[in-house]
Amino acid sequence: MNKYAVIGNPVHHSISPMIHGQFSKEFGLEISYEKILSPINGFQDTVKKFIDSNGQGFNITLPFKIQAHNLSKSLTPNAKAAGAVNAIKIKDNTLIGENTDGNGLVNDFTNNLNQSLKGKEILIIGAGGATQGILKPILDCNPEKILLANRTKEKSLKLASKFLKYGKVCGFGLDQIKAKPVDIVINATSASIDGNIPNIPNGVVEGALCYDLMYGRETPFMKWANENSARKVSDGLGMLVEQAALSFSFWLEKNPQTKPVIELVRAKGD
Ligand code: ATR
């Protein structure tokens, strides 16, 4: 049987086994996809055990995406640019690292939200690992420009200069954001986890599509965007399912349908 997994810490909350179960059903494939809790200091050993048990591929979630990048023998261009890996394929006992997060987000915009990124002005808030993973795939869609704003300004300046080779991206501090509407606002901070909203002017979300990379419920950012005349507001569930579909196709060379799975998760209220 084809054996896959997601490795993280914590990992109990992951709905990836359910998503991959639905994908494999579509193709009549029998695969196993388990959640593996790795000790914080034992990621490499956990991976070794999984390979020894005849595993063929796995996803990586927090906090191991950078370690997964460093452990990979070869990297796809997206994984290289992101400096992080969320999907590994095991081929002839070697690890090939991919990052499907950014293209998962792009596919959610284009396939599910009917929002093209080409020629658009996009404000990304946050300059951590999540932002690093999505910058190249978004820039590959030829937006007008990306405004990259972060509470700690130095981090957004540094990240912007690193990604300038892929397209137009400018770094700012949060306090420098103008109250002028943009087309798309992406919250890539971890503020929602603590029930907070990044401190940005209301005017910037007016008429914009506002997207929170978090999923599962209306985040404080989504609520705030709705109250401030955003055109459309979305959580990151579509991105989660789309990145899973790209991982599935990376391993098995089959492109599963995502819409029915997104609907199923929403209906279950996970
Ligand atoms: P991740 O891998 O999820 O991106 P991270 O690398 O720890 O996590 O980055 C978290 C991001 O959220 C950072 O950009 C952080 O801003 P700082 O660089 O200034 O720390 C941002 N962040 C977290 N809480 C925030 C808040 N309450 N307001 C604004 N930004 C916040």
Side-chain angles (χ1 to χ4, degrees):
M1 194 195 280
N2 291 329
K3 189 169 170 174
Y4 299 93
V6 54
I7 301 179
N9 187 334
V11 78
H12 63 272
H13 62 283
S14 173
I15 58 169
S16 294
M18 188 276 240
I19 295 172
H20 285 277
Q22 291 299 319
F23 291 163
S24 47
K25 232 193 242 173
E26 183 189 335
F27 299 104
L29 288 174
E30 283 237 353
I31 71 163
S32 79
Y33 187 107
E34 56 181 322
K35 299 181 209 180
I36 301 178
L37 176 69
S38 168
I40 292 290
N41 295 317
F43 178 66
Q44 198 165 343
D45 285 346
T46 307
V47 169
K48 189 177 178 313
K49 261 190 222 149
F50 182 68
I51 297 172
D52 291 346
S53 72
N54 211 20
Q56 275 132 324
F58 55 98
N59 285 123
I60 303 94
T61 185
L62 297 178
F64 300 122
K65 291 186 186 184
I66 294 171
Q67 285 186 57
H69 169 274
N70 298 342
L71 213 60
S72 298
K73 190 93 180 155
S74 66
L75 294 166
T76 64
N78 278 329
K80 214 179 272 178
V85 154
N86 80 325
I88 281 183
K89 177 159 66 180
I90 300 156
K91 209 172 168 196
D92 305 326
N93 247 6
T94 65
L95 306 185
I96 305 167
E98 163 68 301
N99 192 312
T100 65
D101 285 330
N103 277 326
L105 175 64
V106 166
N107 286 353
D108 192 30
F109 275 118
T110 50
N111 302 344
N112 307 317
L113 300 170
N114 299 320
Q115 174 67 60
S116 155
L117 302 179
K118 189 163 185 243
K120 298 293 184 289
E121 193 173 14
I122 303 173
L123 170 65
I124 301 181
I125 310 157
T131 300
Q132 183 143 336
I134 61 175
L135 278 174
K136 181 180 181 295
I138 295 179
L139 287 167
D140 287 346
C141 296
N142 296 317
E144 159 67 22
K145 66 175 161 211
I146 292 182
L147 307 171
L148 182 56
N150 195 47
R151 186 174 55 183
T152 313
K153 183 179 160 188
E154 294 67 37
K155 276 167 74 179
S156 49
L157 291 179
K158 205 168 157 198
L159 207 54
S161 67
K162 193 173 156 196
F163 281 82
L164 257 185
K165 61 182 171 207
Y166 301 114
K168 204 165 167 196
V169 47
C170 325
F172 298 89
L174 282 191
D175 52 354
Q176 294 171 299
I177 300 175
K178 299 199 179 89
K180 173 179 141 294
V182 295
D183 299 305
I184 297 169
V185 180
I186 300 173
N187 181 21
T189 71
S190 50
S192 296
I193 297 174
D194 310 317
N196 294 324
I197 312 168
N199 192 10
I200 60 172
N202 303 9
V204 79
V205 296
E206 207 182 301
L209 190 164
C210 295
Y211 194 101
D212 200 321
L213 298 190
M214 302 272 152
Y215 76 92
R217 65 197 146 83
E218 188 186 54
T219 65
F221 170 77
M222 291 167 66
K223 185 167 182 287
W224 172 81
N226 268 319
E227 288 164 359
N228 285 283
S229 313
R231 170 169 52 92
K232 202 171 188 175
V233 176
S234 177
D235 73 351
L237 175 65
M239 173 181 175
L240 176 78
V241 176
E242 295 290 348
Q243 68 74 28
L246 292 169
S247 301
F248 191 89
S249 112
F250 176 54
W251 298 323
L252 293 154
E253 291 168 10
K254 291 185 191 307
N255 302 323
Q257 287 185 45
T258 50
K259 276 203 174 113
V261 180
I262 294 170
E263 280 163 19
L264 185 73
V265 179
R266 292 241 187 261
K268 282 167 74 110
D270 279 341

